[in-house]
């Protein structure tokens, strides 16, 4: 707390985050009408502030009602593919294929006071006088460049640091909670350490979420994690009227000035999958956009993402590269493998085998992935015993992807188990097997990507984290604990050893029944098997218990020593392997 006098030369209220449509009153006077979750707002309040009994009132309006009203007023024109595009608000809050719909409102970042001038004893208010300095620092010098040059294949796409090429290994980052103010610095530290410990050197902050907190970027700076920073636009065509454009310009100015001093940020990107969607997803037919309407929507796109954002990035930063969209080409086009960055979703959405990457690895793969169930302890946290069976209504409610279980089952039967056995699995065994499958596919996908070096110079999997407990492409679930694939990625992203592709599908392995011997000493577990064992999984009722390795292969007669983050009781430890699940019936 700091004493502020009414004799100060300037007294300003600073709002770092109002979500989203908000009328702000001080002592009964309207001082601000906010309409952008991503902007900071500063208001001179000296004329209306009192020595005592100041009342600050903020009235929020429904963003859903507001965008529905705007969209209705624009009929018959319909912007693909959701009314959410009219509001500058985190787009994932309107629902995504890994998260629920919670179109909330409220104060999501700090409200502060700036006061400058002579010091006097006066009223006591939570105050700071450093905000403007921090949020308008000059750009950092990180000596990182984006190299896009014509070559024998097409056009390169890779990063250089100090004139040395970097092979990017990392993941996409989504908001880490559906209710953002719940996140703490310790949450960010745990999740970013999980990226660092998985040998990642880059995270892509995805455009349907938020410009992250200062804690996120501070930690990325200290951990040496590069950040590909999307602007907050994803999967929709956005309006191009002057009011919207001016609002976005202020948003971009605020966010760049807030973030440009962070050396971790190496790229600004205009949007996620908007250009690809317009060209490849059939929106013109679906939303009856033809002739002048189609031209207007596309011209608005070019005005914002190809012209204005480039100009604003140069104006407010001037040191970092900018690309207008990600990916450059859709995954159904040959050019997506020869130039720019690539989102390859033939594996999963197209239900192709992971071997497809042999001929379809892009120059820089900025999205690809495979789903798995969340950890069993996480599933227990949102179910009761009557819900814990395969495809129960509650389990289905925590699977947001279109035909999600159909695709999961396709890959499980392709690589691990026949369909008759699959249908008889317990939910716990299905969970285990789905995680083994995600492990297997990501391990082999990364092995293919890295084998294409130097034509391929980056592999960013979708996705590192979750915003709620869900079946998704994440490799750490909402509990912040690793799924099986995290251990696969940690190994596949090592600098000292290149990953090797599996020669045999897991379902074709000849497995014998293992007998495990286990010795526990404080925080160390020593485990041995009498025969070769695949995907050996250790678990306990303690949801916070984490092992230095898991889902590992164990050769006969060999021992593995595992460190744990806390002491464990042997009676609480459970061991599962692929044999026990495939031979459960």
């Amino acid at each position: 707390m700091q004493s502020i006098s009414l004799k100060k030369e300037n007294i300003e209220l600073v709002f770092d985050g109002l979500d989203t449509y908000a009328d702000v009153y001080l002592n009964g006077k309207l001082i601000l009408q906010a309409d952008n979750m991503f902007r900071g707002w500063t208001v001179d309040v000296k004329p209306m502030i009192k020595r005592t009994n100041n009342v600050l009132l903020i009235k929020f309006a429904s963003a859903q009602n507001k965008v529905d009203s705007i969209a209705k007023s624009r009929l018959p024109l319909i912007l693909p593919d959701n009314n959410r595009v009219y509001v500058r608000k985190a787009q994932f809050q309107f629902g995504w294929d890994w998260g629920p719909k919670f179109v909330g409102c409220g104060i999501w970042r700090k409200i502060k006071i700036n006061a400058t001038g002579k010091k006097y004893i006066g009223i006591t208010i939570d105050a700071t006088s450093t905000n403007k300095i921090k949020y308008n620092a000059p750009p950092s010098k990180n000596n990182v460049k984006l190299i896009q040059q014509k070559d024998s294949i097409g056009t390169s796409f890779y990063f250089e640091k100090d004139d040395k090429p970097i092979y990017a290994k990392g993941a996409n980052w989504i908001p880490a909670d559906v209710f953002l103010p719940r996140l703490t610095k310790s949450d960010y530290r745990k999740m970013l350490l999980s990226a660092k410990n998985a040998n990642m050197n880059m995270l892509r902050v995805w455009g349907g979420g938020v410009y992250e907190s200062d804690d996120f970027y501070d930690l990325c700076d200290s951990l040496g994690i590069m950040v590909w920073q999307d602007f907050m636009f994803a999967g929709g065509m956005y309006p191009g009227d002057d009011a919207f454009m001016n609002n976005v310009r202020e948003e971009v100015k605020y966010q760049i000035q807030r973030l440009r001093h962070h050396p971790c940020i190496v790229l600004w990107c205009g949007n996620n999958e908007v250009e690809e969607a317009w060209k490849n997803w059939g929106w013109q037919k679906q939303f009856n956009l033809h002739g002048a309407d189609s031209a207007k929507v596309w011209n608005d796109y070019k005005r914002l993402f190809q012209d204005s954002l480039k100009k604003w990035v140069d104006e407010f930063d001037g040191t970092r590269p900018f690309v207008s969209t990600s990916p450059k080409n859709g995954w159904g086009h040959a050019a997506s493998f020869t130039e720019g960055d690539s989102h390859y979703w033939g594996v999963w959405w197209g239900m192709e085998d992971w071997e497809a990457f042999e001929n379809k690895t892009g120059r820089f793969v900025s999205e690809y992935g495979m789903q798995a169930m969340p950890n069993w302890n996480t599933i227990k946290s949102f179910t009761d015993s009557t819900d814990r069976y395969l495809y129960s209504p509650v389990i289905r409610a925590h699977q947001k992807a279109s035909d999600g279980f159909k695709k999961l089952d396709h890959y499980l039967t392709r690589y691990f188990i026949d369909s008759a056995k699959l249908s008889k699995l317990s939910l716990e065994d299905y969970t285990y097997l789905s995680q083994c499958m995600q492990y297997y596919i990501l391990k082999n996908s990364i092995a293919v990507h890295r084998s294409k070096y130097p034509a391929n110079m980056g592999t960013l999997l979708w996705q590192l984290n979750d915003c709620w407990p869900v079946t998704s492409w994440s490799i750490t679930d909402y509990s912040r604990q690793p799924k099986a694939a995290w251990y696969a990625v940690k190994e596949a992203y090592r600098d000292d050893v290149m990953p090797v592709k599996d020669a045999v599908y897991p379902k074709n392995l000849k497995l014998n029944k293992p007998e495990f011997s286990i010795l526990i000493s404080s925080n160390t577990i020593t485990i041995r098997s009498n025969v070769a064992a695949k995907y050996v999984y250790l678990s306990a009722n303690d949801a916070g218990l984490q092992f230095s390795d898991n889902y590992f292969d164990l050769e006969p007669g060999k021992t593995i020593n595992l460190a744990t983050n806390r002491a464990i009781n042997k009676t609480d430890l459970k061991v599962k392997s692929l044999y026990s699940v495939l031979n459960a019936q």
Side-chain angles (χ1 to χ4, degrees):
M1 302 295 282
Q2 180 179 339
S3 293
I4 304 294
S5 172
L6 294 181
K7 296 181 180 179
K8 289 281 188 180
E9 293 177 6
N10 295 292
I11 302 175
E12 297 172 333
L13 269 179
V14 178
F15 303 87
D16 284 344
L18 297 175
D19 179 14
T20 293
Y21 293 105
D23 290 345
V24 182
Y25 298 83
L26 179 61
N27 297 327
K29 182 176 179 59
L30 180 65
I31 62 170
L32 171 66
Q33 290 183 296
D35 61 355
N36 190 326
M37 177 180 180
F38 305 126
R39 281 176 63 178
W41 309 87
T42 300
V43 182
D44 177 11
V45 295
K46 185 173 180 179
M48 68 280 301
I49 202 165
K50 301 186 297 184
R51 185 170 296 278
T52 59
N53 298 323
N54 290 281
V55 177
L56 184 67
L57 173 65
I58 306 176
K59 293 183 177 180
F60 291 92
S62 164
Q64 186 69 68
N65 289 347
K66 183 72 172 178
V67 298
D68 289 346
S69 176
I70 296 172
K72 186 176 181 180
S73 72
R74 306 291 173 92
L75 292 174
L77 180 71
I78 300 175
L79 287 182
D81 71 337
N82 191 300
N83 293 348
R84 62 178 166 79
V85 297
Y86 287 104
V87 61
R88 296 309 300 139
K89 177 177 175 62
Q91 303 285 272
F92 85 103
Q93 295 179 347
F94 292 83
W96 223 264
D97 56 5
W98 36 256
K101 181 174 181 176
F102 281 115
V103 188
C105 62
I107 302 166
W108 78 291
R109 284 186 174 155
K110 292 180 180 179
I111 299 175
K112 299 172 285 192
I113 284 183
N114 278 339
T116 60
K118 297 179 181 180
K119 292 185 177 180
Y120 296 91
I121 303 298
I123 59 174
T124 300
I125 308 173
D126 190 6
T128 177
S129 59
T130 61
N131 186 63
K132 283 189 176 179
I133 298 171
K134 181 177 180 182
Y135 282 77
N136 203 11
S140 70
K141 294 181 180 180
N142 57 21
N143 299 321
V144 177
K145 301 175 184 175
L146 174 63
I147 308 300
Q148 299 184 88
Q149 294 177 338
K150 296 286 186 181
D151 58 22
S152 61
I153 302 169
T155 304
S156 67
F157 190 105
Y158 67 93
F159 294 89
E160 269 186 0
K161 185 175 178 65
D162 299 324
D163 299 320
K164 295 180 180 178
I166 302 167
Y167 189 89
K169 300 173 297 182
N172 286 259
W173 172 275
I174 67 168
D177 204 298
V178 287
F179 302 115
L180 294 162
R182 294 200 295 205
L183 292 167
T184 66
K185 187 170 186 176
S186 64
D187 291 322
Y188 283 111
R189 181 180 290 108
K190 184 168 188 176
M191 287 180 281
L192 292 173
L193 281 173
S194 77
K196 184 70 173 179
N197 292 337
N199 295 310
M200 295 183 183
N201 60 17
M202 179 177 283
L203 292 174
R204 173 176 175 251
V205 178
W206 169 75
V210 297
Y211 306 94
E212 274 297 345
S213 73
D214 294 339
D215 291 335
F216 175 89
Y217 300 99
D218 288 341
L219 287 162
C220 287
D221 287 341
S222 65
L223 291 170
I225 296 174
M226 295 178 287
V227 173
W228 166 320
Q229 179 66 54
D230 280 3
F231 289 103
M232 292 301 117
F233 301 90
M237 302 303 291
Y238 290 83
D241 57 275
D242 288 345
F244 187 87
M245 293 289 291
N246 291 335
N247 198 356
V248 172
R249 183 184 186 277
E250 291 304 311
E251 167 190 325
V252 170
K253 177 182 179 181
Y254 172 77
Q255 293 295 344
I256 290 180
Q257 290 182 343
R258 180 174 80 92
L259 299 174
R260 65 189 180 185
H261 69 281
H262 288 285
C264 64
I265 297 176
V266 297
L267 178 70
W268 302 105
C269 176
N271 68 68
N272 174 75
E273 296 186 345
V274 176
E275 188 164 331
E276 177 187 8
W278 178 253
K279 293 179 177 178
N280 301 310
W281 293 2
W283 277 350
Q284 290 94 317
K285 182 178 180 180
Q286 181 182 352
F287 295 97
N288 195 30
L289 293 168
H290 305 289
D293 284 344
S294 177
K296 171 180 168 44
V297 173
W298 178 240
N299 287 334
D300 285 347
Y301 173 90
K302 291 193 293 183
R303 180 189 178 197
L304 176 55
F305 294 110
Q306 295 179 359
D307 301 332
S308 300
L309 276 175
K310 173 69 167 67
K311 180 178 68 177
W312 297 335
V313 168
D314 289 344
E315 178 182 355
F316 302 125
D317 185 333
T319 66
R320 290 177 177 84
F322 169 80
V323 295
S324 62
T325 189
S326 177
K328 185 175 182 182
N329 298 287
W331 58 266
H333 297 269
S336 69
F337 311 121
T338 62
E339 62 181 37
D341 71 310
S342 169
H343 294 188
Y344 193 72
W345 285 107
V347 179
W348 178 258
W349 286 108
M351 292 200 286
E352 295 176 355
D353 295 348
W354 63 260
E355 290 93 337
F357 282 119
E358 292 287 3
N359 299 311
K360 296 178 178 179
T361 290
R363 309 304 301 270
F364 190 106
V365 188
S366 48
E367 277 193 27
Y368 67 99
M370 180 53 55
Q371 271 203 355
M373 299 282 281
N375 290 311
W376 183 241
N377 279 324
T378 302
I379 291 174
K380 289 194 292 185
S381 75
F382 66 80
T383 59
D384 62 32
S385 59
T386 61
D387 303 317
R388 294 175 193 148
Y389 62 91
L390 203 51
Y391 317 130
S392 74
V394 170
I395 294 300
R396 286 186 177 277
H398 288 256
Q399 162 67 280
K400 294 298 184 182
S402 174
D403 290 329
F405 282 119
K406 178 181 177 180
K407 293 184 176 75
L408 262 181
D409 292 352
H410 166 81
Y411 284 102
L412 284 168
T413 55
R414 177 76 177 117
Y415 292 113
F416 277 85
I417 191 171
D418 66 58
S419 56
K421 283 187 175 181
L422 177 67
S423 64
K424 297 176 183 178
L425 289 179
S426 69
L427 182 62
E428 186 172 3
D429 282 350
Y430 183 93
T431 295
Y432 162 83
L433 206 61
S434 77
Q435 291 210 13
C436 292
M437 187 268 294
Q438 186 188 34
Y439 179 118
Y440 168 79
I441 289 182
L442 289 187
K443 170 196 171 181
N444 285 286
S445 298
I446 293 168
V448 177
H449 292 168
R450 294 192 66 185
S451 75
K452 304 298 183 181
Y453 171 88
N456 168 263
M457 289 296 292
T459 172
L460 307 181
L461 64 90
W462 184 273
Q463 65 216 58
L464 178 67
N465 59 313
D466 278 329
C467 69
W468 79 309
V470 63
T471 299
S472 82
W473 301 264
S474 71
I475 63 169
T476 61
D477 76 8
Y478 184 62
S479 72
R480 319 300 183 206
Q481 296 299 309
K483 290 157 70 169
W486 183 89
Y487 296 97
V489 170
K490 177 185 179 182
E491 188 69 17
Y493 278 172
R494 284 172 57 178
D495 286 328
D496 57 332
V497 178
M498 289 289 285
V500 177
K501 294 175 290 183
D502 287 346
V504 180
Y505 290 176
K507 71 177 183 181
N508 294 332
L509 292 170
K510 294 183 179 179
L511 301 173
N512 295 310
K513 184 177 181 179
E515 294 180 4
F516 299 107
S517 61
I518 299 172
L519 177 66
I520 296 178
S521 176
S522 185
N523 288 35
T524 302
I525 298 171
T526 301
I527 184 169
R528 178 191 292 260
S529 175
N530 64 325
V531 297
K534 293 288 292 184
Y535 297 104
V536 178
Y537 168 53
L538 304 181
S539 64
N541 290 326
D542 182 351
L545 184 69
Q546 191 169 330
F547 302 91
S548 57
D549 197 5
N550 218 338
Y551 296 87
F552 49 84
D553 294 344
L554 193 54
E555 294 300 318
K558 297 284 183 70
T559 60
I560 290 182
N561 294 312
L562 303 173
T564 63
N565 59 338
R566 59 185 80 175
I568 184 173
N569 189 316
K570 186 174 181 178
T571 59
D572 191 38
L573 186 68
K574 292 192 291 186
V575 184
K576 189 190 295 282
S577 72
L578 189 59
Y579 176 91
S580 64
V581 172
L582 297 187
N583 294 277
Q585 285 80 30

PDB file of all heavy atoms in Angstrom, residues 518-534:
ATOM      1  N   ILE A 518      10.306 -55.368  -7.247  1.00  0.00           N
ATOM      2  CA  ILE A 518      10.385 -53.933  -6.967  1.00  0.00           C
ATOM      3  C   ILE A 518      11.019 -53.713  -5.597  1.00  0.00           C
ATOM      4  O   ILE A 518      10.654 -54.365  -4.618  1.00  0.00           O
ATOM      5  CB  ILE A 518       8.978 -53.291  -7.000  1.00  0.00           C
ATOM      6  CG1 ILE A 518       8.361 -53.452  -8.389  1.00  0.00           C
ATOM      7  CG2 ILE A 518       9.033 -51.820  -6.613  1.00  0.00           C
ATOM      8  CD1 ILE A 518       6.908 -53.027  -8.459  1.00  0.00           C
ATOM      9  N   LEU A 519      11.947 -52.781  -5.566  1.00  0.00           N
ATOM     10  CA  LEU A 519      12.581 -52.378  -4.312  1.00  0.00           C
ATOM     11  C   LEU A 519      12.429 -50.862  -4.178  1.00  0.00           C
ATOM     12  O   LEU A 519      12.754 -50.117  -5.107  1.00  0.00           O
ATOM     13  CB  LEU A 519      14.066 -52.766  -4.301  1.00  0.00           C
ATOM     14  CG  LEU A 519      14.879 -52.349  -3.061  1.00  0.00           C
ATOM     15  CD1 LEU A 519      14.374 -53.097  -1.832  1.00  0.00           C
ATOM     16  CD2 LEU A 519      16.359 -52.613  -3.278  1.00  0.00           C
ATOM     17  N   ILE A 520      11.908 -50.442  -3.042  1.00  0.00           N
ATOM     18  CA  ILE A 520      11.725 -49.006  -2.805  1.00  0.00           C
ATOM     19  C   ILE A 520      12.618 -48.571  -1.663  1.00  0.00           C
ATOM     20  O   ILE A 520      12.627 -49.173  -0.586  1.00  0.00           O
ATOM     21  CB  ILE A 520      10.258 -48.677  -2.472  1.00  0.00           C
ATOM     22  CG1 ILE A 520       9.364 -49.004  -3.668  1.00  0.00           C
ATOM     23  CG2 ILE A 520      10.102 -47.207  -2.092  1.00  0.00           C
ATOM     24  CD1 ILE A 520       7.895 -48.749  -3.424  1.00  0.00           C
ATOM     25  N   SER A 521      13.384 -47.538  -1.916  1.00  0.00           N
ATOM     26  CA  SER A 521      14.241 -46.942  -0.899  1.00  0.00           C
ATOM     27  C   SER A 521      14.049 -45.435  -0.938  1.00  0.00           C
ATOM     28  O   SER A 521      14.521 -44.762  -1.868  1.00  0.00           O
ATOM     29  CB  SER A 521      15.710 -47.303  -1.146  1.00  0.00           C
ATOM     30  OG  SER A 521      16.542 -46.647  -0.215  1.00  0.00           O
ATOM     31  N   SER A 522      13.309 -44.930   0.058  1.00  0.00           N
ATOM     32  CA  SER A 522      13.012 -43.498   0.116  1.00  0.00           C
ATOM     33  C   SER A 522      12.348 -43.051  -1.184  1.00  0.00           C
ATOM     34  O   SER A 522      11.266 -43.508  -1.511  1.00  0.00           O
ATOM     35  CB  SER A 522      14.287 -42.701   0.404  1.00  0.00           C
ATOM     36  OG  SER A 522      13.982 -41.333   0.579  1.00  0.00           O
ATOM     37  N   ASN A 523      13.022 -42.174  -1.961  1.00  0.00           N
ATOM     38  CA  ASN A 523      12.433 -41.639  -3.184  1.00  0.00           C
ATOM     39  C   ASN A 523      12.963 -42.329  -4.436  1.00  0.00           C
ATOM     40  O   ASN A 523      12.904 -41.768  -5.531  1.00  0.00           O
ATOM     41  CB  ASN A 523      12.710 -40.131  -3.291  1.00  0.00           C
ATOM     42  CG  ASN A 523      11.902 -39.330  -2.297  1.00  0.00           C
ATOM     43  OD1 ASN A 523      11.661 -39.784  -1.185  1.00  0.00           O
ATOM     44  ND2 ASN A 523      11.484 -38.136  -2.686  1.00  0.00           N
ATOM     45  N   THR A 524      13.484 -43.545  -4.296  1.00  0.00           N
ATOM     46  CA  THR A 524      14.009 -44.280  -5.439  1.00  0.00           C
ATOM     47  C   THR A 524      13.338 -45.634  -5.547  1.00  0.00           C
ATOM     48  O   THR A 524      13.166 -46.343  -4.552  1.00  0.00           O
ATOM     49  CB  THR A 524      15.536 -44.467  -5.321  1.00  0.00           C
ATOM     50  OG1 THR A 524      16.159 -43.190  -5.210  1.00  0.00           O
ATOM     51  CG2 THR A 524      16.087 -45.202  -6.534  1.00  0.00           C
ATOM     52  N   ILE A 525      12.956 -45.983  -6.771  1.00  0.00           N
ATOM     53  CA  ILE A 525      12.345 -47.280  -7.049  1.00  0.00           C
ATOM     54  C   ILE A 525      13.267 -48.044  -7.988  1.00  0.00           C
ATOM     55  O   ILE A 525      13.678 -47.511  -9.033  1.00  0.00           O
ATOM     56  CB  ILE A 525      10.963 -47.117  -7.705  1.00  0.00           C
ATOM     57  CG1 ILE A 525      10.002 -46.382  -6.765  1.00  0.00           C
ATOM     58  CG2 ILE A 525      10.384 -48.471  -8.095  1.00  0.00           C
ATOM     59  CD1 ILE A 525       8.695 -46.004  -7.420  1.00  0.00           C
ATOM     60  N   THR A 526      13.580 -49.275  -7.652  1.00  0.00           N
ATOM     61  CA  THR A 526      14.345 -50.158  -8.520  1.00  0.00           C
ATOM     62  C   THR A 526      13.424 -51.273  -8.982  1.00  0.00           C
ATOM     63  O   THR A 526      12.801 -51.948  -8.166  1.00  0.00           O
ATOM     64  CB  THR A 526      15.560 -50.750  -7.787  1.00  0.00           C
ATOM     65  OG1 THR A 526      16.394 -49.678  -7.324  1.00  0.00           O
ATOM     66  CG2 THR A 526      16.368 -51.658  -8.702  1.00  0.00           C
ATOM     67  N   ILE A 527      13.304 -51.443 -10.298  1.00  0.00           N
ATOM     68  CA  ILE A 527      12.370 -52.420 -10.848  1.00  0.00           C
ATOM     69  C   ILE A 527      13.089 -53.335 -11.828  1.00  0.00           C
ATOM     70  O   ILE A 527      13.954 -52.898 -12.600  1.00  0.00           O
ATOM     71  CB  ILE A 527      11.156 -51.725 -11.499  1.00  0.00           C
ATOM     72  CG1 ILE A 527      10.129 -52.750 -11.986  1.00  0.00           C
ATOM     73  CG2 ILE A 527      11.575 -50.782 -12.613  1.00  0.00           C
ATOM     74  CD1 ILE A 527       8.799 -52.144 -12.392  1.00  0.00           C
ATOM     75  N   ARG A 528      12.720 -54.614 -11.810  1.00  0.00           N
ATOM     76  CA  ARG A 528      13.313 -55.635 -12.678  1.00  0.00           C
ATOM     77  C   ARG A 528      12.201 -56.555 -13.175  1.00  0.00           C
ATOM     78  O   ARG A 528      11.198 -56.759 -12.494  1.00  0.00           O
ATOM     79  CB  ARG A 528      14.354 -56.436 -11.889  1.00  0.00           C
ATOM     80  CG  ARG A 528      15.020 -57.568 -12.668  1.00  0.00           C
ATOM     81  CD  ARG A 528      15.813 -58.459 -11.733  1.00  0.00           C
ATOM     82  NE  ARG A 528      16.970 -57.787 -11.185  1.00  0.00           N
ATOM     83  CZ  ARG A 528      18.215 -57.948 -11.632  1.00  0.00           C
ATOM     84  NH1 ARG A 528      18.445 -58.795 -12.615  1.00  0.00           N
ATOM     85  NH2 ARG A 528      19.214 -57.312 -11.076  1.00  0.00           N
ATOM     86  N   SER A 529      12.368 -57.091 -14.383  1.00  0.00           N
ATOM     87  CA  SER A 529      11.409 -58.041 -14.937  1.00  0.00           C
ATOM     88  C   SER A 529      12.134 -59.306 -15.395  1.00  0.00           C
ATOM     89  O   SER A 529      13.291 -59.240 -15.828  1.00  0.00           O
ATOM     90  CB  SER A 529      10.672 -57.424 -16.137  1.00  0.00           C
ATOM     91  OG  SER A 529       9.829 -58.372 -16.750  1.00  0.00           O
ATOM     92  N   ASN A 530      11.443 -60.439 -15.314  1.00  0.00           N
ATOM     93  CA  ASN A 530      12.053 -61.703 -15.736  1.00  0.00           C
ATOM     94  C   ASN A 530      12.028 -61.891 -17.250  1.00  0.00           C
ATOM     95  O   ASN A 530      12.785 -62.693 -17.808  1.00  0.00           O
ATOM     96  CB  ASN A 530      11.349 -62.880 -15.052  1.00  0.00           C
ATOM     97  CG  ASN A 530       9.894 -62.990 -15.468  1.00  0.00           C
ATOM     98  OD1 ASN A 530       9.221 -61.987 -15.686  1.00  0.00           O
ATOM     99  ND2 ASN A 530       9.394 -64.221 -15.578  1.00  0.00           N
ATOM    100  N   VAL A 531      11.122 -61.157 -17.938  1.00  0.00           N
ATOM    101  CA  VAL A 531      11.044 -61.209 -19.403  1.00  0.00           C
ATOM    102  C   VAL A 531      10.937 -59.780 -19.929  1.00  0.00           C
ATOM    103  O   VAL A 531      10.694 -58.838 -19.177  1.00  0.00           O
ATOM    104  CB  VAL A 531       9.825 -62.034 -19.873  1.00  0.00           C
ATOM    105  CG1 VAL A 531       9.931 -63.482 -19.424  1.00  0.00           C
ATOM    106  CG2 VAL A 531       8.516 -61.418 -19.386  1.00  0.00           C
ATOM    107  N   ALA A 532      11.101 -59.633 -21.235  1.00  0.00           N
ATOM    108  CA  ALA A 532      10.949 -58.305 -21.831  1.00  0.00           C
ATOM    109  C   ALA A 532       9.528 -57.803 -21.615  1.00  0.00           C
ATOM    110  O   ALA A 532       8.558 -58.527 -21.862  1.00  0.00           O
ATOM    111  CB  ALA A 532      11.267 -58.359 -23.316  1.00  0.00           C
ATOM    112  N   ALA A 533       9.418 -56.568 -21.133  1.00  0.00           N
ATOM    113  CA  ALA A 533       8.112 -55.969 -20.853  1.00  0.00           C
ATOM    114  C   ALA A 533       8.007 -54.629 -21.577  1.00  0.00           C
ATOM    115  O   ALA A 533       8.949 -53.837 -21.571  1.00  0.00           O
ATOM    116  CB  ALA A 533       7.907 -55.792 -19.359  1.00  0.00           C
ATOM    117  N   LYS A 534       6.826 -54.387 -22.194  1.00  0.00           N
ATOM    118  CA  LYS A 534       6.594 -53.155 -22.961  1.00  0.00           C
ATOM    119  C   LYS A 534       5.658 -52.222 -22.207  1.00  0.00           C
ATOM    120  O   LYS A 534       4.708 -52.655 -21.558  1.00  0.00           O
ATOM    121  CB  LYS A 534       5.965 -53.494 -24.308  1.00  0.00           C
ATOM    122  CG  LYS A 534       6.866 -54.255 -25.254  1.00  0.00           C
ATOM    123  CD  LYS A 534       7.970 -53.384 -25.829  1.00  0.00           C
ATOM    124  CE  LYS A 534       7.434 -52.324 -26.756  1.00  0.00           C
ATOM    125  NZ  LYS A 534       8.532 -51.533 -27.402  1.00  0.00           N
TER     126      LYS A 534
END
